[in-house]
Amino acid sequence: LAGAGRTETLKAITGVAPVDRGRIEIGGKRLRTGSISAARRQGVLYGPEDRKREGLVLTGTIAANVAYGNYRTVSRFGILNSRKLYNRALALGEKFGIKFNTPKQIVGELSGGNQQKVVLARMSEGEPRIVCFDDPTRGVDIGAKSGIHDRILELAKSGASIFITSSDSDEVLAVSDRIYVLRGGSVVGEMVRAD
C-alpha cells in the first residue's frame, strides 16, 4: 500500500536515496549506496512513480528525453550528434510503440501512456542488470498498460532483474514471480507465483 515504504525501498536500491543501514550487493559486488552514478555503472536503474516530476523533462523534446543519462550512443567527444539523437528517438519510438508526430515534439504534449513509454525506452537501452519500476502504469489507460507490461517482460527475458511496485494488486499478480509485502518499510510477507 502507499506509505508502506515501497518507493523509499526502490530509491535506496537504485542510489536515488541514501541507506540508513544494511547493504546492497549485485553479483557479490557491493553497491555504493546513495550514488545514482555508481548504481548506473553497475546497471541499476530507477523508473520513478511520478514520471512528470522525476522521470521526464516535460518541456524537452522526445529525442532529448530518451537520451538523458545515456549520451554515449548519440555523442562523440562530448558533442551531441543531432542526427543520431533524432534517429535513435525514431527507432525507440517504433520499438516501444510511442505515438508522436516527430522526435522534436515536446514530451509534455504526449498522453500519459506515451510519456511512460519514453521513460521505459530510455531505461531499456544499454542492457541494464536491475531495473526498479515504481508503479509504472499509474495514470495510464488499459491499452497502454498492456504495452508497458510487454516491454517490462521483454526486459526480464533479456536477463534483467525487475522490481515493480504497484497500487494495483491485479497488476502485481499478473507480472510477478515473487511478491514481497511491505509495512512501515519492513518486509512482512512473501509469496511466490507457485503459491
Side-chain angles (χ1 to χ4, degrees):
L1 299 174
R6 63 185 195 193
T7 296
E8 293 79 5
T9 300
L10 292 188
K11 284 184 173 184
I13 290 170
T14 57
V16 176
V19 175
D20 292 333
R21 63 185 194 278
R23 67 185 199 191
I24 300 163
E25 289 185 5
I26 303 166
K29 185 177 177 187
R30 189 171 183 166
L31 175 65
R32 194 174 105 217
T33 58
S35 170
I36 296 171
S37 59
R40 286 185 69 88
R41 279 193 299 276
Q42 283 189 256
V44 182
L45 302 175
Y46 174 66
E49 179 178 31
D50 189 344
R51 67 182 165 270
K52 292 184 179 194
R53 285 187 42 215
E54 297 178 283
L56 298 166
V57 177
L58 293 176
T59 57
T61 65
I62 295 162
N65 271 275
V66 295
Y68 290 141
N70 188 13
Y71 294 109
R72 288 180 314 235
T73 58
V74 293
S75 67
R76 188 168 181 200
F77 304 117
I79 299 170
L80 285 175
N81 181 317
S82 299
R83 178 172 286 158
K84 282 185 179 180
L85 193 65
Y86 186 91
N87 289 336
R88 182 169 180 254
L90 278 177
L92 288 173
E94 185 173 328
K95 179 179 177 181
F96 285 86
I98 305 167
K99 294 182 177 103
F100 57 83
N101 298 323
T102 170
K104 293 180 180 179
Q105 185 177 351
I106 301 301
V107 80
E109 297 173 357
L110 300 178
S111 68
N114 283 305
Q115 288 177 1
Q116 189 64 25
K117 288 177 185 178
V118 170
V119 173
L120 187 58
R122 181 179 64 234
M123 294 178 66
S124 298
E125 292 297 290
E127 300 176 5
R129 295 176 69 186
I130 297 173
V131 184
C132 297
F133 291 105
D134 195 358
D135 214 352
T137 60
R138 178 178 159 226
V140 302
D141 64 55
I142 193 75
K145 274 187 183 188
S146 176
I148 290 167
H149 289 159
D150 289 345
R151 296 299 172 210
I152 290 172
L153 292 172
E154 281 181 23
L155 259 178
K157 286 178 186 174
S158 74
S161 295
I162 309 293
F163 290 82
I164 295 177
T165 68
S166 180
S167 52
D168 180 354
S169 57
D170 289 338
E171 177 176 42
V172 171
L173 294 170
V175 300
S176 301
D177 292 319
R178 182 181 311 260
I179 300 169
Y180 291 99
V181 180
L182 293 173
R183 181 177 176 201
S186 297
V187 175
V188 296
E190 176 184 352
M191 292 171 274
V192 294
R193 180 177 287 281
D195 297 334

Short mmCIF file of all heavy atoms in Angstrom, two decimals, residues 9-63:
data_model
loop_
_atom_site.label_atom_id
_atom_site.label_comp_id
_atom_site.label_asym_id
_atom_site.label_seq_id
_atom_site.Cartn_x
_atom_site.Cartn_y
_atom_site.Cartn_z
N THR A 9 12.19 2.10 -0.62
CA THR A 9 13.00 0.90 -0.83
C THR A 9 13.63 0.90 -2.22
O THR A 9 14.84 0.66 -2.36
CB THR A 9 12.14 -0.37 -0.64
OG1 THR A 9 11.62 -0.38 0.69
CG2 THR A 9 12.94 -1.64 -0.88
N LEU A 10 12.83 1.19 -3.25
CA LEU A 10 13.38 1.23 -4.60
C LEU A 10 14.42 2.33 -4.76
O LEU A 10 15.44 2.14 -5.41
CB LEU A 10 12.27 1.40 -5.63
CG LEU A 10 11.30 0.22 -5.81
CD1 LEU A 10 10.39 0.47 -7.00
CD2 LEU A 10 12.02 -1.09 -5.96
N LYS A 11 14.16 3.48 -4.16
CA LYS A 11 15.12 4.58 -4.25
C LYS A 11 16.43 4.23 -3.55
O LYS A 11 17.51 4.62 -4.00
CB LYS A 11 14.52 5.87 -3.69
CG LYS A 11 13.52 6.51 -4.62
CD LYS A 11 13.02 7.84 -4.08
CE LYS A 11 12.14 8.54 -5.12
NZ LYS A 11 11.72 9.89 -4.67
N ALA A 12 16.35 3.48 -2.47
CA ALA A 12 17.57 3.05 -1.77
C ALA A 12 18.35 2.06 -2.62
O ALA A 12 19.58 2.17 -2.76
CB ALA A 12 17.21 2.44 -0.42
N ILE A 13 17.67 1.11 -3.23
CA ILE A 13 18.33 0.10 -4.06
C ILE A 13 19.06 0.75 -5.23
O ILE A 13 20.16 0.36 -5.60
CB ILE A 13 17.30 -0.93 -4.59
CG1 ILE A 13 16.79 -1.81 -3.45
CG2 ILE A 13 17.91 -1.79 -5.70
CD1 ILE A 13 15.60 -2.68 -3.84
N THR A 14 18.45 1.78 -5.81
CA THR A 14 18.99 2.38 -7.04
C THR A 14 19.89 3.59 -6.82
O THR A 14 20.32 4.22 -7.78
CB THR A 14 17.83 2.79 -7.96
OG1 THR A 14 16.96 3.68 -7.25
CG2 THR A 14 17.05 1.57 -8.41
N GLY A 15 20.17 3.92 -5.57
CA GLY A 15 21.09 5.01 -5.29
C GLY A 15 20.46 6.39 -5.29
O GLY A 15 21.15 7.39 -5.08
N VAL A 16 19.17 6.48 -5.51
CA VAL A 16 18.49 7.77 -5.52
C VAL A 16 18.42 8.35 -4.11
O VAL A 16 18.51 9.55 -3.91
CB VAL A 16 17.08 7.65 -6.13
CG1 VAL A 16 16.33 8.98 -6.07
CG2 VAL A 16 17.18 7.18 -7.58
N ALA A 17 18.28 7.47 -3.12
CA ALA A 17 18.21 7.91 -1.71
C ALA A 17 19.29 7.17 -0.92
O ALA A 17 19.64 6.03 -1.24
CB ALA A 17 16.83 7.60 -1.14
N PRO A 18 19.81 7.81 0.12
CA PRO A 18 20.82 7.14 0.95
C PRO A 18 20.20 6.01 1.77
O PRO A 18 19.00 5.99 2.02
CB PRO A 18 21.34 8.27 1.86
CG PRO A 18 20.24 9.27 1.89
CD PRO A 18 19.52 9.17 0.58
N VAL A 19 21.04 5.09 2.19
CA VAL A 19 20.60 3.95 3.00
C VAL A 19 21.06 4.17 4.44
O VAL A 19 22.22 4.50 4.69
CB VAL A 19 21.21 2.64 2.45
CG1 VAL A 19 20.87 1.46 3.33
CG2 VAL A 19 20.71 2.41 1.03
N ASP A 20 20.12 4.01 5.39
CA ASP A 20 20.46 4.18 6.81
C ASP A 20 21.28 3.01 7.34
O ASP A 20 22.21 3.19 8.12
CB ASP A 20 19.19 4.34 7.66
CG ASP A 20 18.47 5.64 7.37
OD1 ASP A 20 19.14 6.61 6.96
OD2 ASP A 20 17.24 5.70 7.55
N ARG A 21 20.88 1.80 6.94
CA ARG A 21 21.62 0.62 7.39
C ARG A 21 21.43 -0.49 6.36
O ARG A 21 20.54 -0.43 5.53
CB ARG A 21 21.17 0.18 8.77
CG ARG A 21 19.73 -0.25 8.87
CD ARG A 21 19.37 -0.56 10.33
NE ARG A 21 18.13 -1.27 10.46
CZ ARG A 21 16.91 -0.71 10.44
NH1 ARG A 21 16.78 0.56 10.26
NH2 ARG A 21 15.84 -1.44 10.58
N GLY A 22 22.30 -1.48 6.46
CA GLY A 22 22.25 -2.58 5.50
C GLY A 22 23.12 -2.28 4.30
O GLY A 22 23.78 -1.24 4.23
N ARG A 23 23.16 -3.24 3.38
CA ARG A 23 23.96 -3.03 2.18
C ARG A 23 23.32 -3.77 1.02
O ARG A 23 22.50 -4.67 1.21
CB ARG A 23 25.39 -3.46 2.40
CG ARG A 23 25.57 -4.93 2.61
CD ARG A 23 27.01 -5.22 2.94
NE ARG A 23 27.31 -6.61 2.72
CZ ARG A 23 28.41 -7.16 3.11
NH1 ARG A 23 29.32 -6.45 3.73
NH2 ARG A 23 28.63 -8.43 2.88
N ILE A 24 23.72 -3.40 -0.16
CA ILE A 24 23.20 -3.98 -1.39
C ILE A 24 24.37 -4.56 -2.16
O ILE A 24 25.39 -3.89 -2.35
CB ILE A 24 22.47 -2.91 -2.22
CG1 ILE A 24 21.32 -2.33 -1.43
CG2 ILE A 24 22.00 -3.49 -3.55
CD1 ILE A 24 20.80 -1.02 -1.96
N GLU A 25 24.22 -5.81 -2.58
CA GLU A 25 25.25 -6.46 -3.38
C GLU A 25 24.65 -6.95 -4.68
O GLU A 25 23.52 -7.44 -4.71
CB GLU A 25 25.85 -7.66 -2.62
CG GLU A 25 26.71 -7.26 -1.45
CD GLU A 25 27.40 -8.45 -0.80
OE1 GLU A 25 27.27 -9.59 -1.33
OE2 GLU A 25 28.05 -8.25 0.23
N ILE A 26 25.42 -6.82 -5.75
CA ILE A 26 25.00 -7.28 -7.06
C ILE A 26 26.09 -8.21 -7.57
O ILE A 26 27.22 -7.77 -7.78
CB ILE A 26 24.79 -6.10 -8.03
CG1 ILE A 26 23.77 -5.14 -7.45
CG2 ILE A 26 24.39 -6.60 -9.40
CD1 ILE A 26 23.72 -3.82 -8.14
N GLY A 27 25.75 -9.46 -7.71
CA GLY A 27 26.74 -10.44 -8.16
C GLY A 27 27.94 -10.51 -7.25
O GLY A 27 29.06 -10.69 -7.72
N GLY A 28 27.72 -10.35 -5.94
CA GLY A 28 28.80 -10.42 -4.97
C GLY A 28 29.58 -9.12 -4.81
O GLY A 28 30.45 -9.02 -3.95
N LYS A 29 29.26 -8.12 -5.63
CA LYS A 29 29.97 -6.84 -5.54
C LYS A 29 29.08 -5.82 -4.85
O LYS A 29 27.94 -5.63 -5.24
CB LYS A 29 30.34 -6.36 -6.95
CG LYS A 29 31.19 -5.11 -6.95
CD LYS A 29 31.57 -4.72 -8.37
CE LYS A 29 32.36 -3.43 -8.35
NZ LYS A 29 32.62 -2.92 -9.70
N ARG A 30 29.63 -5.19 -3.84
CA ARG A 30 28.86 -4.22 -3.06
C ARG A 30 28.57 -2.97 -3.89
O ARG A 30 29.44 -2.45 -4.59
CB ARG A 30 29.62 -3.84 -1.79
CG ARG A 30 28.79 -3.01 -0.85
CD ARG A 30 29.47 -2.84 0.47
NE ARG A 30 28.58 -2.10 1.36
CZ ARG A 30 28.76 -2.02 2.64
NH1 ARG A 30 29.77 -2.63 3.20
NH2 ARG A 30 27.93 -1.33 3.37
N LEU A 31 27.32 -2.51 -3.81
CA LEU A 31 26.90 -1.29 -4.49
C LEU A 31 27.05 -0.11 -3.54
O LEU A 31 26.59 -0.18 -2.40
CB LEU A 31 25.44 -1.41 -4.93
CG LEU A 31 24.79 -0.18 -5.56
CD1 LEU A 31 25.48 0.15 -6.89
CD2 LEU A 31 23.31 -0.42 -5.79
N ARG A 32 27.73 0.93 -3.99
CA ARG A 32 27.85 2.13 -3.16
C ARG A 32 26.49 2.80 -3.09
O ARG A 32 25.96 3.25 -4.10
CB ARG A 32 28.88 3.09 -3.76
CG ARG A 32 29.29 4.16 -2.77
CD ARG A 32 30.42 5.00 -3.33
NE ARG A 32 29.84 6.28 -3.72
CZ ARG A 32 30.20 6.97 -4.77
NH1 ARG A 32 31.13 6.53 -5.57
NH2 ARG A 32 29.62 8.12 -5.04
N THR A 33 25.91 2.84 -1.92
CA THR A 33 24.56 3.39 -1.76
C THR A 33 24.58 4.91 -1.75
O THR A 33 25.59 5.53 -1.42
CB THR A 33 23.91 2.86 -0.48
OG1 THR A 33 24.72 3.21 0.64
CG2 THR A 33 23.73 1.36 -0.53
N GLY A 34 23.45 5.48 -2.11
CA GLY A 34 23.32 6.93 -2.14
C GLY A 34 23.98 7.57 -3.34
O GLY A 34 24.17 8.79 -3.38
N SER A 35 24.34 6.78 -4.34
CA SER A 35 25.01 7.31 -5.53
C SER A 35 24.32 6.78 -6.78
O SER A 35 24.44 5.60 -7.11
CB SER A 35 26.48 6.91 -5.53
OG SER A 35 27.07 7.23 -6.78
N ILE A 36 23.61 7.66 -7.47
CA ILE A 36 22.94 7.26 -8.71
C ILE A 36 23.97 6.84 -9.75
O ILE A 36 23.79 5.84 -10.45
CB ILE A 36 22.06 8.41 -9.26
CG1 ILE A 36 20.93 8.71 -8.28
CG2 ILE A 36 21.50 8.06 -10.63
CD1 ILE A 36 20.14 9.95 -8.62
N SER A 37 25.07 7.57 -9.87
CA SER A 37 26.07 7.25 -10.89
C SER A 37 26.72 5.89 -10.61
O SER A 37 26.96 5.12 -11.55
CB SER A 37 27.12 8.35 -11.00
OG SER A 37 27.78 8.55 -9.77
N ALA A 38 26.98 5.55 -9.35
CA ALA A 38 27.55 4.23 -9.02
C ALA A 38 26.55 3.14 -9.38
O ALA A 38 26.93 2.10 -9.93
CB ALA A 38 27.91 4.16 -7.54
N ALA A 39 25.27 3.37 -9.09
CA ALA A 39 24.24 2.38 -9.43
C ALA A 39 24.15 2.21 -10.95
O ALA A 39 24.09 1.08 -11.45
CB ALA A 39 22.90 2.81 -8.85
N ARG A 40 24.16 3.30 -11.68
CA ARG A 40 24.08 3.23 -13.15
C ARG A 40 25.27 2.47 -13.72
O ARG A 40 25.12 1.69 -14.66
CB ARG A 40 24.00 4.62 -13.77
CG ARG A 40 22.65 5.30 -13.58
CD ARG A 40 22.61 6.63 -14.32
NE ARG A 40 22.61 6.41 -15.74
CZ ARG A 40 21.50 6.23 -16.48
NH1 ARG A 40 20.33 6.23 -15.92
NH2 ARG A 40 21.60 6.05 -17.78
N ARG A 41 26.47 2.69 -13.16
CA ARG A 41 27.66 1.99 -13.65
C ARG A 41 27.52 0.48 -13.47
O ARG A 41 28.06 -0.30 -14.24
CB ARG A 41 28.92 2.49 -12.95
CG ARG A 41 29.46 3.78 -13.52
CD ARG A 41 30.87 4.08 -13.04
NE ARG A 41 30.96 4.23 -11.61
CZ ARG A 41 30.71 5.36 -10.92
NH1 ARG A 41 30.34 6.44 -11.58
NH2 ARG A 41 30.83 5.40 -9.62
N GLN A 42 26.77 0.05 -12.44
CA GLN A 42 26.56 -1.38 -12.21
C GLN A 42 25.28 -1.87 -12.88
O GLN A 42 24.87 -3.00 -12.69
CB GLN A 42 26.53 -1.67 -10.70
CG GLN A 42 27.92 -1.67 -10.11
CD GLN A 42 27.94 -2.18 -8.68
OE1 GLN A 42 28.06 -1.40 -7.76
NE2 GLN A 42 27.81 -3.49 -8.51
N GLY A 43 24.65 -1.00 -13.68
CA GLY A 43 23.48 -1.41 -14.44
C GLY A 43 22.18 -1.40 -13.66
O GLY A 43 21.25 -2.12 -13.99
N VAL A 44 22.12 -0.56 -12.62
CA VAL A 44 20.92 -0.48 -11.78
C VAL A 44 20.20 0.83 -12.07
O VAL A 44 20.78 1.92 -11.95
CB VAL A 44 21.28 -0.54 -10.27
CG1 VAL A 44 20.03 -0.49 -9.41
CG2 VAL A 44 22.09 -1.80 -9.97
N LEU A 45 18.92 0.74 -12.49
CA LEU A 45 18.16 1.92 -12.91
C LEU A 45 16.85 2.03 -12.15
O LEU A 45 16.28 1.03 -11.72
CB LEU A 45 17.86 1.83 -14.41
CG LEU A 45 19.05 1.71 -15.34
CD1 LEU A 45 18.58 1.52 -16.77
CD2 LEU A 45 19.96 2.91 -15.23
N TYR A 46 16.36 3.26 -12.04
CA TYR A 46 15.12 3.55 -11.33
C TYR A 46 14.12 4.25 -12.23
O TYR A 46 14.45 5.26 -12.86
CB TYR A 46 15.42 4.44 -10.12
CG TYR A 46 14.21 4.94 -9.37
CD1 TYR A 46 13.37 4.05 -8.70
CD2 TYR A 46 13.90 6.29 -9.35
CE1 TYR A 46 12.26 4.50 -8.01
CE2 TYR A 46 12.79 6.75 -8.65
CZ TYR A 46 11.97 5.86 -7.99
OH TYR A 46 10.86 6.30 -7.31
N GLY A 47 12.92 3.70 -12.33
CA GLY A 47 11.81 4.32 -13.05
C GLY A 47 10.85 4.90 -12.03
O GLY A 47 10.15 4.15 -11.35
N PRO A 48 10.81 6.22 -11.87
CA PRO A 48 10.05 6.83 -10.79
C PRO A 48 8.53 6.72 -10.94
O PRO A 48 8.01 6.58 -12.04
CB PRO A 48 10.48 8.30 -10.84
CG PRO A 48 10.90 8.51 -12.24
CD PRO A 48 11.46 7.21 -12.71
N GLU A 49 7.86 6.78 -9.80
CA GLU A 49 6.41 6.75 -9.76
C GLU A 49 5.82 7.99 -10.43
O GLU A 49 4.86 7.90 -11.18
CB GLU A 49 5.95 6.68 -8.30
CG GLU A 49 4.45 6.67 -8.12
CD GLU A 49 4.05 6.55 -6.66
OE1 GLU A 49 4.79 7.03 -5.79
OE2 GLU A 49 2.98 6.00 -6.41
N ASP A 50 6.41 9.14 -10.17
CA ASP A 50 5.92 10.40 -10.73
C ASP A 50 6.76 10.77 -11.95
O ASP A 50 7.76 11.47 -11.84
CB ASP A 50 5.96 11.50 -9.68
CG ASP A 50 5.27 12.77 -10.12
OD1 ASP A 50 5.02 12.93 -11.33
OD2 ASP A 50 4.99 13.61 -9.25
N ARG A 51 6.36 10.27 -13.12
CA ARG A 51 7.15 10.49 -14.33
C ARG A 51 7.25 11.97 -14.68
O ARG A 51 8.23 12.42 -15.26
CB ARG A 51 6.59 9.68 -15.49
CG ARG A 51 5.23 10.14 -15.94
CD ARG A 51 4.65 9.29 -17.07
NE ARG A 51 3.24 9.55 -17.20
CZ ARG A 51 2.30 8.89 -16.55
NH1 ARG A 51 2.63 7.93 -15.73
NH2 ARG A 51 1.04 9.20 -16.71
N LYS A 52 6.22 12.76 -14.32
CA LYS A 52 6.22 14.17 -14.70
C LYS A 52 7.21 14.99 -13.87
O LYS A 52 7.77 15.96 -14.36
CB LYS A 52 4.81 14.75 -14.58
CG LYS A 52 3.87 14.16 -15.60
CD LYS A 52 2.51 14.78 -15.56
CE LYS A 52 1.64 14.16 -16.64
NZ LYS A 52 0.43 14.89 -16.90
N ARG A 53 7.43 14.61 -12.62
CA ARG A 53 8.35 15.35 -11.77
C ARG A 53 9.76 14.77 -11.75
O ARG A 53 10.73 15.50 -11.64
CB ARG A 53 7.82 15.41 -10.33
CG ARG A 53 6.67 16.38 -10.18
CD ARG A 53 6.24 16.58 -8.75
NE ARG A 53 7.35 16.69 -7.85
CZ ARG A 53 7.34 16.23 -6.60
NH1 ARG A 53 6.29 15.64 -6.11
NH2 ARG A 53 8.39 16.36 -5.83
N GLU A 54 9.86 13.43 -11.87
CA GLU A 54 11.16 12.80 -11.71
C GLU A 54 11.65 12.03 -12.92
O GLU A 54 12.84 11.73 -13.02
CB GLU A 54 11.13 11.83 -10.52
CG GLU A 54 10.85 12.49 -9.18
CD GLU A 54 10.78 11.47 -8.06
OE1 GLU A 54 9.74 10.78 -7.96
OE2 GLU A 54 11.76 11.36 -7.32
N GLY A 55 10.76 11.67 -13.84
CA GLY A 55 11.17 10.80 -14.94
C GLY A 55 11.40 11.49 -16.26
O GLY A 55 12.09 10.95 -17.13
N LEU A 56 10.83 12.67 -16.44
CA LEU A 56 10.91 13.36 -17.72
C LEU A 56 11.18 14.85 -17.52
O LEU A 56 10.88 15.40 -16.46
CB LEU A 56 9.57 13.23 -18.47
CG LEU A 56 9.12 11.83 -18.87
CD1 LEU A 56 7.66 11.86 -19.29
CD2 LEU A 56 9.99 11.28 -19.97
N VAL A 57 11.70 15.47 -18.56
CA VAL A 57 11.73 16.92 -18.63
C VAL A 57 10.62 17.28 -19.60
O VAL A 57 10.78 17.14 -20.82
CB VAL A 57 13.10 17.44 -19.11
CG1 VAL A 57 13.07 18.96 -19.25
CG2 VAL A 57 14.20 16.99 -18.17
N LEU A 58 9.47 17.67 -19.05
CA LEU A 58 8.26 17.84 -19.86
C LEU A 58 8.40 18.88 -20.96
O LEU A 58 7.72 18.80 -21.97
CB LEU A 58 7.07 18.17 -18.97
CG LEU A 58 6.63 17.04 -18.03
CD1 LEU A 58 5.50 17.52 -17.13
CD2 LEU A 58 6.20 15.81 -18.81
N THR A 59 9.27 19.86 -20.77
CA THR A 59 9.46 20.89 -21.79
C THR A 59 10.53 20.50 -22.81
O THR A 59 10.77 21.24 -23.76
CB THR A 59 9.85 22.24 -21.13
OG1 THR A 59 11.03 22.03 -20.35
CG2 THR A 59 8.72 22.76 -20.26
N GLY A 60 11.15 19.34 -22.62
CA GLY A 60 12.16 18.86 -23.54
C GLY A 60 11.54 18.03 -24.65
O GLY A 60 10.39 17.60 -24.57
N THR A 61 12.31 17.80 -25.69
CA THR A 61 11.81 17.01 -26.82
C THR A 61 11.84 15.52 -26.47
O THR A 61 12.50 15.10 -25.52
CB THR A 61 12.68 17.23 -28.07
OG1 THR A 61 14.00 16.73 -27.80
CG2 THR A 61 12.73 18.69 -28.47
N ILE A 62 11.13 14.76 -27.26
CA ILE A 62 11.15 13.30 -27.11
C ILE A 62 12.58 12.81 -27.32
O ILE A 62 13.09 11.97 -26.57
CB ILE A 62 10.17 12.64 -28.10
CG1 ILE A 62 8.74 13.04 -27.73
CG2 ILE A 62 10.34 11.13 -28.11
CD1 ILE A 62 7.73 12.83 -28.82
N ALA A 63 13.25 13.31 -28.35
CA ALA A 63 14.63 12.90 -28.65
C ALA A 63 15.55 13.16 -27.46
O ALA A 63 16.35 12.30 -27.10
CB ALA A 63 15.13 13.64 -29.88
#
